[in-house]
Amino acid sequence: MNLLNETFSAADVAIAANIPPETLQNWIKRGLIVGQGEGEAKIAGGGSRGKRRQFSWESLMAIAAAAALVDVGLSPIT
């Protein structure tokens, strides 16, 4: 298994980032998570009922890093 080529569900990302799934959804809805385009940090899907988001390895790592920064006291800019 090559993690760099895998895609991950929102539940996988929430577990890896050690955040509640609701926090991930909140960040996405508030526009704090980028990656809805092409390239390595892509987030595919979402936006309509039944179309689940799929996160790239790069997206997962960026979200986990952001969660770690929030844990040490930084807050996301809104």
Side-chain angles (χ1 to χ4, degrees), residues 40-62:
E40 294 179 1
K42 185 176 179 187
I43 301 171
S48 63
R49 188 172 182 89
K51 189 165 180 168
R52 303 200 183 276
R53 287 184 179 89
Q54 293 293 308
F55 296 81
S56 67
W57 171 254
E58 290 82 4
S59 295
L60 183 151
M61 295 307 296

Side-chain angles (χ1 to χ4, degrees):
M1 175 159 95
N2 183 352
L3 289 176
L4 297 177
N5 296 324
E6 293 292 315
T7 57
F8 303 90
S9 69
D12 294 334
V13 172
I15 291 168
N18 197 29
I19 58 175
E22 297 80 16
T23 297
L24 178 60
Q25 291 300 328
N26 184 317
W27 289 357
I28 292 169
K29 287 179 183 176
R30 292 173 57 196
L32 300 175
I33 304 294
V34 295
Q36 266 74 3
E38 297 296 322
E40 294 179 1
K42 185 176 179 187
I43 301 171
S48 63
R49 188 172 182 89
K51 189 165 180 168
R52 303 200 183 276
R53 287 184 179 89
Q54 293 293 308
F55 296 81
S56 67
W57 171 254
E58 290 82 4
S59 295
L60 183 151
M61 295 307 296
I63 293 165
L69 290 170
V70 169
D71 281 346
V72 297
L74 295 177
S75 65
I77 297 174
T78 56

